[in-house]
Amino acid sequence: ETGVTQSPTHLIKTRGQQVTLRCSSQSGHNTVSWYQQALGQGPQFIFQYYREEENGRGNFPPRFSGLQFPNYSSELNVNALELDDSALYLCASSLKTGSSYEQYFGPGTRLTVT
Amino acid sequence: AQSVTQLDSQVPVFEEAPVELRCNYSSSVSVYLFWYVQYPNQGLQLLLKYLSGSTLVESINGFEAEFNKSQTSFHLRKPSVHISDTAEYFCAVSDLRGYNKLIFGAGTRLAVHP
């Protein structure tokens, strides 16, 4: 089975621009979560998608948006980039069974906003 | 709401020495508990988890953690560390309701010296 993959690995954008990050879930997983990890901090939950619908959101503004596709791959879109958006963005896929399930993380996309 | 406190930002230790990484959490509801490890320039890997049952959980590479409900702690221990254990370690919790959002601590940097 394939693991979670993310693209691109690194990205440099200018303040005010828009960015799209991509994630391919582990085979068979129907849930994807996105996290932001600023330098020196733990990951912060952005949102989660289950069967193509948003299934929970953290304390992030609406300019952070996402999509999940029928094949369970996912995108994270960030509009009007700010310097503080510079971080490692992690996606995690899981198979929702019962009330808890293990999340498998991808290697992340390092976003730098200048 | 839940929160996680990792009491040490950095833990230096010599090879083959024992180590304990401390984690305390706060929650008004029952939670699941996790330890993740992050090697340089990589994503997160699940090290071990407590969902229910025995309060002592073990990983395949010699780490163990004990859930202490009265002290709201989930400390990570290893009796003898290796150079290869050098990494960032994150404690995380998720509640038993709805979606499985992970709340992470700020991380502990374990540096193993020869």
Side-chain angles (χ1 to χ4, degrees):
Chain A
E1 85 188 357
T2 58
V4 179
T5 60
Q6 293 185 244
S7 62
T9 305
H10 297 88
L11 200 55
I12 300 175
K13 288 286 188 178
T14 302
R15 189 171 52 185
Q17 287 186 315
Q18 178 266 343
V19 69
T20 297
L21 310 182
R22 294 178 174 82
C23 172
S24 290
S25 298
Q26 186 160 316
S27 177
H29 286 183
N30 56 15
T31 303
V32 64
S33 302
W34 285 91
Y35 294 82
Q36 180 196 65
Q37 185 180 14
L39 198 62
Q41 297 182 25
Q44 301 289 317
F45 175 76
I46 303 174
F47 45 57
Q48 182 182 92
Y49 279 81
Y50 170 62
R51 292 185 175 178
E52 303 176 56
E53 292 193 3
E54 190 176 288
N55 186 43
R57 189 178 184 91
N59 189 27
F60 281 80
R63 59 190 185 84
F64 285 78
S65 63
L67 284 172
Q68 186 183 31
F69 300 100
N71 65 355
Y72 300 131
S73 64
S74 174
E75 287 182 355
L76 164 65
N77 298 288
V78 187
N79 293 321
L81 284 167
E82 301 176 0
L83 296 179
D84 285 348
D85 295 333
S86 295
L88 180 68
Y89 288 85
L90 298 163
C91 78
S93 74
S94 52
L95 179 62
K96 188 173 183 180
T97 56
S99 62
S100 180
Y101 38 92
E102 185 171 328
Q103 297 189 31
Y104 295 82
F105 283 82
T109 293
R110 175 76 61 188
L111 173 65
T112 302
V113 183
T114 62
Chain B
Q2 295 87 40
S3 67
V4 177
T5 302
Q6 292 185 241
L7 297 162
D8 306 291
S9 59
Q10 296 186 62
V11 173
V13 64
F14 287 108
E15 195 173 18
E16 297 184 4
V19 70
E20 178 180 80
L21 307 184
R22 296 180 292 170
C23 172
N24 286 90
Y25 70 93
S26 173
S27 177
S28 58
V29 298
S30 296
V31 295
Y32 296 132
L33 295 151
F34 306 83
W35 275 99
Y36 282 84
V37 59
Q38 186 175 37
Y39 298 101
N41 300 314
Q42 294 187 28
L44 300 173
Q45 299 175 29
L46 180 65
L47 192 58
L48 44 74
K49 61 187 176 186
Y50 172 77
L51 304 182
S52 64
S54 173
T55 57
L56 183 66
V57 291
E58 299 176 352
S59 72
I60 59 174
N61 57 354
F63 283 94
E64 64 178 30
E66 186 161 20
F67 169 54
N68 188 319
K69 188 174 183 179
S70 63
Q71 298 186 5
T72 60
S73 68
F74 191 54
H75 300 333
L76 181 70
R77 303 183 184 95
K78 189 170 186 180
S80 177
V81 294
H82 302 288
I83 295 288
S84 59
D85 293 324
T86 294
E88 191 86 21
Y89 292 79
F90 293 96
C91 181
V93 302
S94 71
D95 66 36
L96 278 62
R97 304 168 298 176
Y99 59 94
N100 189 22
K101 175 180 76 172
L102 288 169
I103 306 295
F104 286 89
T108 297
R109 172 76 177 161
L110 175 63
V112 181
H113 302 285

